[in-house]
Amino acid sequence: MTADTDEAWFFDKDAGHLVRPYAITNGRTGPARDGFALITLVVTADPRTDTSRLAPEPAAILDLCRERPLAVAEIAATLDLPVSVVKVLLDDLAEARLILTRAPVQLAEAPDISLIQAVIEGVRRL
């Protein structure tokens, strides 16, 4: 077998090289901490970070997030990776302090219905 035929079994011209998600995350299926929502913003901590010694996927994440913050969902879509894989990679990058994250703002709790009704009744009395 030549080098070309050795690689032919895992190469699809349409899909490119096929690497299973668990290979990218070293078998992990989820991040160690649960802090990454789909709309969590991610930015590279130091834009001058050298990515030459990193695996391709974490390096691509750092490169994507150098100029402006991106949401977890945007990163996954741009890299064409499952969100679960991106969350594991982001967890690793956060642990190494290579990225900064901003969690989505929590929505305020809805006011009590009785309070809203009392306000409406008060306005009607005016």
Side-chain angles (χ1 to χ4, degrees):
M1 291 182 120
T2 66
D4 291 338
T5 58
D6 287 343
E7 291 183 14
W9 67 273
F10 70 90
F11 186 79
D12 181 342
K13 288 183 182 182
D14 294 330
H17 286 278
L18 303 175
V19 177
R20 299 283 182 219
Y22 60 81
I24 296 171
T25 62
N26 294 323
R28 292 170 293 154
T29 58
R33 54 198 135 152
D34 191 31
F36 298 105
L38 290 176
I39 58 174
T40 298
L41 295 177
V42 179
V43 67
T44 303
D46 182 0
R48 299 168 292 166
T49 300
D50 179 25
T51 59
S52 63
R53 295 180 183 234
L54 293 175
E57 292 81 10
I61 291 172
L62 291 177
D63 290 339
L64 279 174
C65 299
R66 280 186 203 280
E67 300 297 320
R68 65 184 177 92
L70 289 177
V72 172
E74 290 176 293
I75 295 168
T78 302
L79 297 179
D80 196 25
L81 289 172
V83 173
S84 58
V85 170
V86 170
K87 286 181 178 183
V88 171
L89 296 173
L90 290 174
D91 190 43
D92 293 345
L93 291 170
E95 188 174 315
R97 298 189 174 164
L98 295 175
I99 60 169
L100 302 172
T101 61
R102 181 173 178 201
V105 176
Q106 297 294 326
L107 297 176
E109 289 186 28
D112 186 18
I113 294 294
S114 61
L115 175 63
I116 294 173
Q117 288 175 339
V119 170
I120 290 172
E121 290 173 13
V123 170
R124 285 184 181 154
R125 282 188 228 143
L126 292 176

